[in-house]
Amino acid sequence: MHVPGTAPQPAPAPRETPAVTATIPAPTAPASASARDSAGDGGRHARRFGLPVATALVMGNIIGGGIFLLPASVAPYGTVSLVAFGVLTVGAIALALVFGRLAERHPRTGGPYVYARETFGDFAGFLAAWAYWITTWVSNAALAVAAVGYLDVLIPVGGNRWTACLAALVLQWLPALANFAGTRYVGAVQLVSTVLKFVPLLLVAVGGLFFFDPGNLGPFHAGGGSTLGAVSASAALLLFSYLGMESAAVSAGEVRNPRRTVGRATVIGTAGAALVYLLGTLSVFGTVAHDRLVRSTAPFSDAVNAMFGGAWGGWAVALAALVSMTGCLNGWTLLSAQTPYAAARDGLFPAAFARRRRGVPTVGVGVTVVLASLLTVYNYASGSGRVFQTLVLVTTFTATVPYLLAAAAQIFHLLAGRRERVDGARLARDVVIAAVAAAFSMWLVAGAGYAAVYQGVLFLFAGVVVHAVLSARRRAAAA
């Protein structure tokens, strides 16, 4: 099933860490260029992440703007969205386990891109890298737009759309500057922001249960259509709040002992974020009246104000939300450059994306923040109140492309191996987990809706043209 690439494959790189016994013995395959450390990107500003920082990277990227804004986004569907949260959590854990297994086999920077390319060839790898790259910078734009809603609680910036636009741009560029300073500072910012935001989040998630009023929940199914359709639609929105579960896998080249650490950090971070999400969303639903929640731009601030009265609690939560979103943007900015970096090292992205300084692909960071800034400006120039929701659904579709390819890669490895050399029960368990992850990804594509799939496909088709140009240039250079 391997699709040959147009460029000659480099020789296998030496393993730097001992292999971990996997369910199916890893096939001998040529290592991509991303397996090699780039020269000149080390130094005191570059530092590999251990388990605590890798877990913080996963949780910090998952728990960003989603938990602070999406309860209001899914409120129009009713409390049926809580069912969607439960189903989404099962699918997210399945994907986390798949990423952990694949990281044991391919412990290199790039995550889903590396898994797709090593399994199915250059074109599949490019699609994974291209779709994931789109997901990251569109998510940054959506996250910055969401952050302005909480900034407005502290500083009135939402009254004028261009003031709000300027604030959103500042929120994007500050994390980009931290990334330019080096991975040492990225890890420090990520760890601090993750710790700081958990105090108010747990206050709402746990404390809100003591102020829970069932009368605030509203109808179970508030929208039209079928219940299953409402679950699918709300799950497609909620996936935005789970984006980032692959963070440790994408940054595997910067993680110490990635074969062991990536899987543990991914599962621990995803499970921890899921627990906070479920408790936090339930608390918001039970403390803020449904008709008010539907119109809210800062639902967690409204929840704390309803719990304790006054406005001081809402201000504190708004500040925590900004810390959370800034940390999330910090991590996503790093991730947005890592996948193009890995693809560029393999000749599947422009060579400029392979340049690194202080451990960070600086060209990737710069291009990503510029694209996200342009999209942010477009958002405010259009004056549409539903652009955030549209951006979220587009990222849902584009994210499922690398997710589905990763799940397919795991299924391929499991079924193509020599079954007589593995434990049958363990093989069956891993096949079920990979199948759940693949079915989950397909279900999210359906839930994203026709408009988001239409726009997402346009983004993907643009990538096909880019791949054709780069492939032609590689072939001409090799001739």
Side-chain angles (χ1 to χ4, degrees):
M1 293 180 66
H2 181 79
V3 180
T6 56
Q9 298 294 314
R15 297 184 184 273
E16 296 181 350
T17 56
V20 177
T21 302
T23 302
I24 298 294
T28 303
S32 66
S34 61
R36 301 189 299 269
D37 290 332
S38 58
D41 63 356
R44 64 188 180 91
H45 296 284
R47 180 177 296 173
R48 291 186 180 272
F49 302 149
L51 179 61
V53 173
T55 303
L57 184 67
V58 174
M59 295 192 71
N61 285 353
I62 293 177
I63 302 178
I67 192 171
F68 289 106
L69 188 65
L70 286 179
S73 298
V74 298
Y77 296 102
T79 53
V80 70
S81 57
L82 294 176
V83 177
F85 241 133
V87 176
L88 194 63
T89 299
V90 173
I93 294 295
L95 276 171
L97 292 170
V98 167
F99 287 135
R101 283 293 191 202
L102 290 170
E104 292 178 2
R105 186 182 302 274
H106 306 294
R108 301 192 294 276
T109 293
Y113 155 72
V114 171
Y115 313 148
R117 180 178 183 268
E118 294 296 328
T119 306
F120 303 120
D122 283 352
F123 184 65
F126 174 82
L127 282 183
W130 182 263
Y132 190 76
W133 184 52
I134 293 170
T135 300
T136 55
W137 61 264
V138 174
S139 294
N140 281 358
L143 189 57
V145 172
V148 171
Y150 279 93
L151 180 62
D152 192 53
V153 176
L154 302 172
I155 304 172
V157 296
N160 184 286
R161 64 179 178 177
W162 294 116
T163 303
C165 179
L166 179 62
L169 294 176
V170 170
L171 289 171
Q172 290 179 52
W173 278 90
L174 287 178
L177 293 177
N179 274 265
F180 284 132
T183 55
R184 175 181 181 180
Y185 302 100
V186 174
V189 171
Q190 199 66 34
L191 190 58
V192 170
S193 65
T194 300
V195 171
L196 288 178
K197 68 184 168 188
F198 263 89
V199 175
L201 281 177
L202 291 177
L203 171 65
V204 175
V206 178
L209 299 179
F210 294 95
F211 296 87
F212 191 88
D213 181 2
N216 290 327
L217 292 177
F220 177 72
H221 182 195
S226 66
T227 300
L228 180 60
V231 171
S232 298
S234 54
L237 280 172
L238 291 169
L239 177 65
F240 181 77
S241 61
Y242 275 90
L243 293 180
M245 68 186 98
E246 69 290 339
S247 302
V250 172
S251 298
E254 282 68 49
V255 176
R256 289 195 300 269
N257 191 10
R259 296 180 189 274
R260 175 178 173 84
T261 302
V262 167
R264 295 172 65 194
T266 302
V267 174
I268 294 172
T270 302
L275 179 61
V276 175
Y277 273 166
L278 292 173
L279 290 178
T281 304
L282 183 62
S283 294
V284 172
F285 272 43
T287 53
V288 182
H290 180 261
D291 57 345
R292 182 181 179 186
L293 183 60
V294 171
R295 302 188 303 271
S296 176
T297 58
F300 267 68
S301 291
D302 291 339
V304 173
N305 288 337
M307 290 163 55
F308 302 109
W312 67 269
W315 293 337
V317 171
L319 180 60
L322 285 175
V323 171
S324 174
M325 293 178 182
T326 302
C328 187
L329 281 167
N330 176 68
W332 270 109
T333 301
L334 174 63
L335 293 187
S336 66
Q338 295 287 22
T339 297
Y341 163 78
R345 293 298 298 268
D346 295 330
L348 300 182
F349 254 59
F353 284 87
R355 298 173 187 168
R356 299 182 76 176
R357 184 185 180 194
R358 296 176 175 177
V360 175
T362 51
V363 173
V365 170
V367 172
T368 294
V369 72
V370 168
L371 288 174
S373 298
L374 292 174
L375 193 58
T376 302
V377 172
Y378 169 76
N379 169 70
Y380 286 100
S382 66
S384 173
R386 294 181 59 85
V387 171
F388 172 78
Q389 182 174 338
T390 301
L391 292 176
V392 166
L393 290 174
V394 169
T395 62
T396 296
F397 172 75
T398 54
T400 55
V401 175
Y403 288 174
L404 182 59
L405 286 171
Q410 174 70 344
I411 292 173
F412 171 81
H413 290 309
L414 292 171
L415 299 183
R418 296 179 60 183
R419 295 176 179 80
E420 68 274 12
R421 297 177 56 187
V422 300
D423 179 77
R426 188 177 182 185
L427 173 62
R429 181 197 65 188
D430 285 354
V431 168
V432 169
I433 291 174
V436 169
F440 171 71
S441 300
M442 293 295 295
W443 175 55
L444 288 173
V445 171
Y450 293 109
V453 172
Y454 168 75
Q455 295 177 53
V457 167
L458 290 179
F459 278 124
L460 288 181
F461 281 4
V464 172
V465 176
V466 173
H467 178 71
V469 172
L470 293 176
S471 297
R473 292 177 61 183
R474 288 203 310 273
R475 178 169 296 183

PDB file of all heavy atoms in Angstrom, residues 366-378:
ATOM      1  N   GLY A 366       6.804  32.645  11.661  1.00  0.00           N
ATOM      2  CA  GLY A 366       6.498  33.937  11.055  1.00  0.00           C
ATOM      3  C   GLY A 366       5.377  33.865  10.037  1.00  0.00           C
ATOM      4  O   GLY A 366       4.452  34.686  10.053  1.00  0.00           O
ATOM      5  N   VAL A 367       5.437  32.875   9.143  1.00  0.00           N
ATOM      6  CA  VAL A 367       4.397  32.739   8.118  1.00  0.00           C
ATOM      7  C   VAL A 367       3.046  32.447   8.773  1.00  0.00           C
ATOM      8  O   VAL A 367       2.006  33.001   8.383  1.00  0.00           O
ATOM      9  CB  VAL A 367       4.768  31.628   7.122  1.00  0.00           C
ATOM     10  CG1 VAL A 367       3.613  31.346   6.172  1.00  0.00           C
ATOM     11  CG2 VAL A 367       6.008  32.027   6.328  1.00  0.00           C
ATOM     12  N   THR A 368       3.050  31.602   9.785  1.00  0.00           N
ATOM     13  CA  THR A 368       1.796  31.231  10.445  1.00  0.00           C
ATOM     14  C   THR A 368       1.146  32.421  11.127  1.00  0.00           C
ATOM     15  O   THR A 368      -0.064  32.635  11.000  1.00  0.00           O
ATOM     16  CB  THR A 368       2.063  30.114  11.470  1.00  0.00           C
ATOM     17  OG1 THR A 368       2.478  28.939  10.790  1.00  0.00           O
ATOM     18  CG2 THR A 368       0.818  29.824  12.276  1.00  0.00           C
ATOM     19  N   VAL A 369       1.926  33.206  11.862  1.00  0.00           N
ATOM     20  CA  VAL A 369       1.337  34.333  12.585  1.00  0.00           C
ATOM     21  C   VAL A 369       0.850  35.402  11.606  1.00  0.00           C
ATOM     22  O   VAL A 369      -0.164  36.082  11.855  1.00  0.00           O
ATOM     23  CB  VAL A 369       2.331  34.910  13.612  1.00  0.00           C
ATOM     24  CG1 VAL A 369       3.453  35.671  12.938  1.00  0.00           C
ATOM     25  CG2 VAL A 369       1.609  35.794  14.623  1.00  0.00           C
ATOM     26  N   VAL A 370       1.529  35.541  10.471  1.00  0.00           N
ATOM     27  CA  VAL A 370       1.063  36.505   9.465  1.00  0.00           C
ATOM     28  C   VAL A 370      -0.264  36.051   8.860  1.00  0.00           C
ATOM     29  O   VAL A 370      -1.207  36.847   8.722  1.00  0.00           O
ATOM     30  CB  VAL A 370       2.133  36.687   8.368  1.00  0.00           C
ATOM     31  CG1 VAL A 370       1.544  37.449   7.174  1.00  0.00           C
ATOM     32  CG2 VAL A 370       3.335  37.443   8.919  1.00  0.00           C
ATOM     33  N   LEU A 371      -0.377  34.770   8.499  1.00  0.00           N
ATOM     34  CA  LEU A 371      -1.622  34.257   7.926  1.00  0.00           C
ATOM     35  C   LEU A 371      -2.770  34.360   8.936  1.00  0.00           C
ATOM     36  O   LEU A 371      -3.888  34.760   8.583  1.00  0.00           O
ATOM     37  CB  LEU A 371      -1.440  32.808   7.488  1.00  0.00           C
ATOM     38  CG  LEU A 371      -0.576  32.575   6.248  1.00  0.00           C
ATOM     39  CD1 LEU A 371      -0.353  31.092   6.024  1.00  0.00           C
ATOM     40  CD2 LEU A 371      -1.212  33.202   5.021  1.00  0.00           C
ATOM     41  N   ALA A 372      -2.501  33.999  10.188  1.00  0.00           N
ATOM     42  CA  ALA A 372      -3.537  34.103  11.212  1.00  0.00           C
ATOM     43  C   ALA A 372      -3.949  35.555  11.427  1.00  0.00           C
ATOM     44  O   ALA A 372      -5.132  35.857  11.642  1.00  0.00           O
ATOM     45  CB  ALA A 372      -3.050  33.491  12.528  1.00  0.00           C
ATOM     46  N   SER A 373      -2.987  36.464  11.347  1.00  0.00           N
ATOM     47  CA  SER A 373      -3.305  37.892  11.511  1.00  0.00           C
ATOM     48  C   SER A 373      -4.183  38.393  10.363  1.00  0.00           C
ATOM     49  O   SER A 373      -5.139  39.145  10.584  1.00  0.00           O
ATOM     50  CB  SER A 373      -2.009  38.712  11.572  1.00  0.00           C
ATOM     51  OG  SER A 373      -1.232  38.342  12.684  1.00  0.00           O
ATOM     52  N   LEU A 374      -3.859  37.977   9.142  1.00  0.00           N
ATOM     53  CA  LEU A 374      -4.685  38.384   7.998  1.00  0.00           C
ATOM     54  C   LEU A 374      -6.105  37.852   8.133  1.00  0.00           C
ATOM     55  O   LEU A 374      -7.079  38.560   7.834  1.00  0.00           O
ATOM     56  CB  LEU A 374      -4.046  37.883   6.696  1.00  0.00           C
ATOM     57  CG  LEU A 374      -2.724  38.533   6.290  1.00  0.00           C
ATOM     58  CD1 LEU A 374      -2.144  37.838   5.068  1.00  0.00           C
ATOM     59  CD2 LEU A 374      -2.925  40.019   6.017  1.00  0.00           C
ATOM     60  N   LEU A 375      -6.231  36.611   8.587  1.00  0.00           N
ATOM     61  CA  LEU A 375      -7.561  36.038   8.778  1.00  0.00           C
ATOM     62  C   LEU A 375      -8.319  36.757   9.880  1.00  0.00           C
ATOM     63  O   LEU A 375      -9.538  36.962   9.796  1.00  0.00           O
ATOM     64  CB  LEU A 375      -7.434  34.543   9.106  1.00  0.00           C
ATOM     65  CG  LEU A 375      -8.712  33.714   9.035  1.00  0.00           C
ATOM     66  CD1 LEU A 375      -9.337  33.782   7.650  1.00  0.00           C
ATOM     67  CD2 LEU A 375      -8.411  32.254   9.398  1.00  0.00           C
ATOM     68  N   THR A 376      -7.600  37.174  10.927  1.00  0.00           N
ATOM     69  CA  THR A 376      -8.228  37.934  12.014  1.00  0.00           C
ATOM     70  C   THR A 376      -8.741  39.274  11.507  1.00  0.00           C
ATOM     71  O   THR A 376      -9.865  39.690  11.835  1.00  0.00           O
ATOM     72  CB  THR A 376      -7.221  38.151  13.148  1.00  0.00           C
ATOM     73  OG1 THR A 376      -6.759  36.881  13.627  1.00  0.00           O
ATOM     74  CG2 THR A 376      -7.858  38.924  14.291  1.00  0.00           C
ATOM     75  N   VAL A 377      -7.924  39.962  10.727  1.00  0.00           N
ATOM     76  CA  VAL A 377      -8.348  41.246  10.161  1.00  0.00           C
ATOM     77  C   VAL A 377      -9.578  41.049   9.281  1.00  0.00           C
ATOM     78  O   VAL A 377     -10.539  41.838   9.329  1.00  0.00           O
ATOM     79  CB  VAL A 377      -7.198  41.895   9.366  1.00  0.00           C
ATOM     80  CG1 VAL A 377      -7.695  43.131   8.613  1.00  0.00           C
ATOM     81  CG2 VAL A 377      -6.059  42.262  10.295  1.00  0.00           C
ATOM     82  N   TYR A 378      -9.578  39.983   8.478  1.00  0.00           N
ATOM     83  CA  TYR A 378     -10.740  39.691   7.637  1.00  0.00           C
ATOM     84  C   TYR A 378     -11.989  39.460   8.484  1.00  0.00           C
ATOM     85  O   TYR A 378     -13.084  39.903   8.132  1.00  0.00           O
ATOM     86  CB  TYR A 378     -10.458  38.466   6.774  1.00  0.00           C
ATOM     87  CG  TYR A 378     -11.693  37.927   6.075  1.00  0.00           C
ATOM     88  CD1 TYR A 378     -12.212  38.579   4.956  1.00  0.00           C
ATOM     89  CD2 TYR A 378     -12.360  36.808   6.560  1.00  0.00           C
ATOM     90  CE1 TYR A 378     -13.350  38.110   4.329  1.00  0.00           C
ATOM     91  CE2 TYR A 378     -13.492  36.333   5.939  1.00  0.00           C
ATOM     92  CZ  TYR A 378     -13.990  36.985   4.827  1.00  0.00           C
ATOM     93  OH  TYR A 378     -15.129  36.519   4.215  1.00  0.00           O
TER      94      TYR A 378
END
